[in-house]
Amino acid sequence: MNTFRSGIRKHTVVRLGRPAAAAALAAGLALTGVTAANAASAATATAGGTFGPFGYGGVRLGMTLKQAKATHKIAKTPYGGDTCSGWALKAHPSRDSVGLYISKKLGVAAIFAPKGVKTPEGIGIGSTMKQVRKAYPQLDTTGQYPVAAVPGNPKARFSFLSNHGKVYEMSLNLVNQDCTN
């Protein structure tokens, strides 16, 4: 909004609330051909809400170490190895001290879900494996732990660890991640 006084143009700043900003982002992206679902997912990943399909807590899969550090949302942990380093999400601590792994080759490769967050399909820590199978009918249980394709992001998958039929840890990973087993 512009106002004129004495020939000087002044600008009035209008602040949008989070719902209005997300709606404006979705509308703008729709004009460029990006679907509303992808726009909402991108806005949610940035805002720190839903776990997946592209990231969580303002950190996105594939971000370089430099990009992830620039978010100011991560802190270094002593964990890591030759190919990956371990980091914590400052505002969203995970079950143990590593909240995500950053690969030297791939960038952010794995993000672990803290308690209280859910995937877009409603799965979180404490969900039953029956609920996981219902949410992800193509759940692959042939490996060390069950994994599911992430709807809306073909480059990612969810991994679930369970005990007595309940999820106690889950992560969002790049399909080709090189940080965890």
Side-chain angles (χ1 to χ4, degrees), residues 114-162:
K115 287 182 181 180
V117 301
K118 294 188 184 288
T119 68
E121 296 74 33
I123 301 301
I125 294 173
S127 294
T128 66
M129 286 308 294
K130 183 177 179 180
Q131 291 169 319
V132 172
R133 283 192 257 319
K134 185 175 180 182
Y136 305 103
Q138 303 299 318
L139 187 69
D140 180 357
T141 59
T142 60
Q144 294 179 359
Y145 42 83
V147 296
V150 175
N153 186 355
K155 295 180 180 181
R157 68 179 177 196
F158 289 119
S159 299
F160 304 96
L161 295 178
S162 65

Side-chain angles (χ1 to χ4, degrees), residues 65-86:
L65 175 60
K66 184 177 180 178
Q67 290 169 328
K69 281 182 174 179
T71 68
H72 303 289
K73 296 180 183 286
I74 63 172
K76 182 76 174 90
T77 68
Y79 299 99
D82 294 336
T83 60
C84 299
S85 55

Side-chain angles (χ1 to χ4, degrees), residues 4-171:
F4 291 89
R5 187 181 306 159
S6 304
I8 299 172
R9 178 182 278 187
K10 293 187 176 186
H11 298 279
T12 302
V13 177
V14 177
R15 295 189 187 263
L16 297 176
R18 194 174 273 183
L25 173 65
L29 290 174
L31 293 173
T32 65
V34 176
T35 67
N38 285 344
S41 295
T44 300
T46 303
T50 304
F51 187 70
F54 297 99
Y56 178 72
V59 179
R60 294 174 58 92
L61 289 175
M63 277 183 159
T64 65
L65 175 60
K66 184 177 180 178
Q67 290 169 328
K69 281 182 174 179
T71 68
H72 303 289
K73 296 180 183 286
I74 63 172
K76 182 76 174 90
T77 68
Y79 299 99
D82 294 336
T83 60
C84 299
S85 55
W87 295 80
L89 287 165
K90 290 178 181 178
H92 309 284
S94 66
R95 183 176 169 271
D96 55 28
S97 60
V98 176
L100 63 115
Y101 282 100
I102 301 178
S103 164
K104 289 179 183 175
K105 185 168 99 174
L106 303 170
V108 175
I111 304 171
F112 293 88
K115 287 182 181 180
V117 301
K118 294 188 184 288
T119 68
E121 296 74 33
I123 301 301
I125 294 173
S127 294
T128 66
M129 286 308 294
K130 183 177 179 180
Q131 291 169 319
V132 172
R133 283 192 257 319
K134 185 175 180 182
Y136 305 103
Q138 303 299 318
L139 187 69
D140 180 357
T141 59
T142 60
Q144 294 179 359
Y145 42 83
V147 296
V150 175
N153 186 355
K155 295 180 180 181
R157 68 179 177 196
F158 289 119
S159 299
F160 304 96
L161 295 178
S162 65
N163 189 20
H164 301 294
K166 289 199 175 201
V167 174
Y168 71 87
E169 183 174 271
M170 68 180 191
S171 61

